[in-house]
Amino acid sequence: MSGVVLPPGFSLEPLQRTQPRRHFDCGQSEVNDWLHTKALQHQDKRLSATKVLLAGDSAIAGFYTLATGQVDFGDLPSELARKLPRRALPVAILAWLGVSVAHQGEKLGDLLLAQSLRDCYEAGQTFAFVAVILDCVDDRAKSFYQRWDFAELPGNPYRLFLNSQTLAAMMRS
Amino acid sequence: MATSLADEALVQRSDPKPTPEQLEFFETQVRPLLVKRCHKCHSTESGPENGSLILDTAAGIAAGGSRGSMFHKEMPDKGLLLQVITYRDADLQMPPDGKLAAAELAILERWVRDGAALPEYKAEPRPKLSKVDWVEGRKFWSFQPLRPTPLPMISDPQWVARPLDTFVLAKLSAHKLTPNPPADRAQLLRRMTFDLTGLPPTPDELDAFVADNSAQSVERLVDRLLASHKTYGRLLSTLTVLHYAIQFRRGESIMAKCTNETTTSKVSPLMVRLDAESKRSLTDAAELRRISVSDYVRTVTVAQARREVASARDQTIQLSPDEQLAFWQALQASAKLSPAQKRLGAIMRGQR
């Protein structure tokens, strides 16, 4: 198995300068702005990696951006600290995901989410992390992720997470 | 406007009666100018907050504000009004958002030099504008004289290194809590650096501090952090110029004015609504540190905000201890998939 099965005529590629990223419109200005102006810069600096879903006409139908991060666990009361790790915990972050308005309703968001989690799983075979964190830009994005039963990160209502055991189980079953 | 000049009773006036020409000049030139440039802050409607100066009544103009009369009878140019509108006083310049145009200045200068004629008015003692209850205010804890306080009874006198610790231990015992063991060197450095700078220590700073076992190492660390230009000193100086003002208005809100750290021209108002419980917590927390609520917000809340912004830049997610524990427990949860997760897993594995 090489990955998520895409609809005929669609392909998934790493973000490149030649792709028409400035024409992408998912209806959410913050997400558009990320792809138009920042995603490539961050990728060039190795801060994040973006993959774009190209439609048959080479337009960008969707994209997602993955990054790494950490959850700070350093300042716990001593009673708790004995049981818990005393270091920042590594996490994978699904930082951005968007589907073009021209292709919304075609379930491409589900495919992009599945492929991004698959990428995380495969990376996790080499570089360990404890969870995938999903950043939600708004309530709509949050409800999209919550359809798949991701839990809220405590104290962060717009961050959901999936622990690595669950991720592995999803790839196994 | 609550009172118009034209409606005022012509009862008392000690100065020579103004001529019709002087009154006409006031009504046609001076008064419109005061309305246009001054009444926004100095009127019966705007209230006494701005120097207790009321400029929409003749009595108010004659009485002046908290700095006294606006006029100097013998030397008109030395009167407060001309001092402030000509921007000769560096500390008090009006209007504060820009000097009057030359033509506007000329009108007020002519009016003042010509005796600052006003319609006749009823001279009344200046209303008591302050609503502060000084008797009640003097009961506030910080105004009380220092006096010895008996030490509370504690269960473990060995733990106490200095008298203040007695109170800490007594409070912990009252809440059925036991003190943490002393922090190790790395933990101590981390906590102090976060408290004073809002940022974690660097690996080099950690190595240096752990290796320094001298008795003055902690003192030196605090001195270094306090002297740090990039962090604590800058935070303090920034806050000094921010005029970070906090008011509990009608007991329900905090009003703060924040200025961009690097450009003093950008001022954005920030209104934070607080429920009663949050407000009480804030007040109690400030009381525990024996500092004002303003200082608590500056040194704790703002420091936390800076920490979170810095963390976000580093892709580090900050959680409170309770949140860390909840997250850790969720990470340990068994990997039992929900039906939705099974469906998503199938897509991940390449099934249609």
Side-chain angles (χ1 to χ4, degrees):
Chain A
M1 281 178 285
S2 60
V4 171
V5 178
L6 301 174
F10 285 82
S11 62
L12 194 67
E13 294 180 6
L15 177 65
Q16 294 167 33
R17 201 167 298 278
T18 53
Q19 292 155 348
R21 61 189 188 285
R22 289 182 189 277
H23 295 149
F24 177 80
D25 178 16
C26 67
Q28 225 290 357
S29 59
E30 204 180 342
V31 180
N32 290 343
D33 183 57
W34 165 259
L35 186 65
H36 294 179
T37 62
K38 301 187 182 79
L40 198 59
Q41 288 182 13
H42 280 238
Q43 186 165 273
D44 289 345
K45 293 173 186 166
R46 314 297 298 166
L47 299 175
S48 64
T50 299
K51 287 187 178 176
V52 293
L53 181 64
L54 297 175
D57 57 0
S58 296
I60 296 178
F63 80 98
Y64 61 84
T65 298
L66 292 172
T68 56
Q70 51 190 357
V71 176
D72 197 352
F73 258 59
D75 237 359
L76 284 171
S78 60
E79 290 88 359
L80 302 177
R82 278 196 283 279
K83 304 170 200 161
L84 272 57
R86 307 300 305 276
R87 51 160 291 183
L89 301 184
V91 290
I93 298 176
L94 175 54
W96 301 91
L97 188 151
V99 174
S100 158
V101 287
H103 292 279
Q104 285 174 7
E106 298 174 18
K107 303 280 185 193
L108 296 184
D110 296 353
L111 300 181
L112 288 169
L113 174 63
Q115 183 61 45
S116 68
L117 292 177
R118 187 186 172 99
D119 287 354
C120 289
Y121 171 79
E122 288 172 353
Q125 303 309 298
T126 310
F127 297 102
F129 55 80
V130 298
V132 181
I133 305 283
L134 302 98
D135 276 338
C136 309
V137 289
D138 55 17
D139 288 321
R140 192 169 160 230
K142 185 176 174 181
S143 63
F144 166 71
Y145 292 131
Q146 280 185 318
R147 281 198 295 124
W148 304 105
D149 297 331
F150 295 129
E152 259 183 34
L153 184 67
N156 289 257
Y158 285 88
R159 278 187 165 131
L160 306 179
F161 75 96
L162 182 69
N163 71 33
S164 49
Q165 294 97 298
T166 306
L167 179 67
M170 289 164 76
M171 279 299 289
R172 275 197 307 267
S173 58
Chain B
M1 198 186 306
T3 310
S4 90
L5 292 167
D7 294 339
E8 289 184 43
L10 312 182
V11 179
Q12 272 188 18
R13 188 179 175 90
S14 56
D15 295 335
K17 191 173 181 180
T19 66
E21 291 76 22
Q22 285 176 316
L23 286 179
E24 186 185 353
F25 183 75
F26 176 82
E27 291 292 349
T28 58
Q29 302 290 318
V30 177
R31 195 162 78 89
L33 181 54
L34 295 176
V35 171
K36 182 180 168 192
R37 303 302 299 267
C38 311
H39 283 192
K40 185 179 169 193
C41 302
H42 299 291
S43 65
T44 46
E45 193 173 319
S46 66
E49 278 83 6
N50 297 301
S52 304
L53 180 62
I54 304 295
L55 295 179
D56 61 349
T57 69
I61 295 172
S66 55
R67 294 185 181 222
S69 171
M70 297 192 295
F71 310 109
H72 192 298
K73 283 185 181 173
E74 286 78 29
M75 291 179 285
D77 284 1
K78 300 234 170 179
L80 185 60
L81 177 63
L82 293 191
Q83 291 275 337
V84 300
I85 64 172
T86 53
Y87 279 34
R88 273 178 271 165
D89 183 342
D91 294 327
L92 186 63
Q93 298 176 332
M94 292 289 158
D97 52 355
K99 199 173 173 180
L100 295 173
E104 293 173 324
L105 273 175
I107 290 170
L108 291 179
E109 283 170 346
R110 176 180 160 186
W111 173 59
V112 170
R113 287 168 189 159
D114 196 29
L118 290 168
E120 291 199 38
Y121 58 92
K122 182 179 180 181
E124 292 174 340
R126 268 166 41 81
K128 189 180 177 186
L129 298 168
S130 171
K131 293 178 183 170
V132 175
D133 185 342
W134 293 107
V135 174
E136 194 59 31
R138 287 192 183 94
K139 295 177 186 170
F140 191 62
W141 66 266
S142 66
F143 299 128
Q144 305 309 307
L146 294 174
R147 52 175 170 261
T149 303
L151 297 177
M153 297 293 288
I154 51 169
S155 55
D156 181 9
Q158 298 296 319
W159 185 82
V160 172
R162 56 193 72 77
L164 191 60
D165 296 343
T166 314
F167 294 94
V168 175
L169 187 58
K171 204 74 174 175
L172 285 171
S173 302
H175 288 85
K176 296 188 170 53
L177 295 171
T178 52
N180 283 340
D184 61 32
R185 304 281 292 173
Q187 203 173 32
L188 181 62
L189 174 70
R190 177 183 166 83
R191 288 178 182 169
M192 295 181 86
T193 311
F194 259 131
D195 278 351
L196 290 180
T197 71
L199 297 169
T202 66
D204 288 345
E205 288 167 347
L206 178 62
D207 291 343
F209 185 73
V210 169
D212 183 357
N213 288 317
S214 65
Q216 290 80 35
S217 60
V218 173
E219 191 179 334
R220 273 201 300 272
L221 168 67
V222 174
D223 284 346
R224 178 178 66 75
L225 293 171
L226 287 173
S228 168
H229 167 69
K230 289 183 181 174
T231 52
Y232 193 74
R234 182 170 174 178
L235 172 65
L236 274 185
S237 62
T238 301
L239 287 171
T240 303
V241 299
L242 284 182
H243 300 293
Y244 196 103
I246 297 182
Q247 302 169 347
F248 279 86
R249 282 210 172 157
R250 297 189 192 93
E252 64 175 0
S253 66
I254 287 180
M255 182 74 171
K257 276 194 171 180
C258 297
T259 308
N260 183 295
E261 203 169 310
T262 51
T263 55
T264 53
S265 62
K266 284 188 183 174
V267 180
S268 60
L270 171 67
M271 174 71 88
V272 182
R273 292 272 170 193
L274 292 179
D275 57 89
E277 168 62 25
S278 303
K279 200 176 58 176
R280 194 163 46 246
S281 298
L282 203 54
T283 310
D284 289 349
E287 185 80 8
L288 279 174
R289 292 183 181 227
R290 296 285 187 265
I291 58 177
S292 69
V293 175
S294 312
D295 283 342
Y296 182 85
V297 171
R298 286 189 192 107
T299 56
V300 180
T301 312
V302 174
Q304 174 67 17
R306 289 165 62 89
R307 202 175 302 160
E308 292 190 3
V309 170
S311 294
R313 283 195 209 107
D314 299 339
Q315 289 281 27
T316 299
I317 298 167
Q318 293 280 348
L319 301 179
S320 70
D322 286 346
E323 291 162 358
Q324 289 176 30
L325 182 61
F327 183 51
W328 181 250
Q329 286 167 346
L331 291 178
Q332 307 310 307
S334 65
K336 190 176 179 204
L337 300 184
S338 70
Q341 288 170 335
K342 285 180 181 171
R343 283 200 306 279
L344 186 58
I347 301 172
M348 289 163 62
R349 297 193 303 276
Q351 297 174 16
R352 288 177 188 274

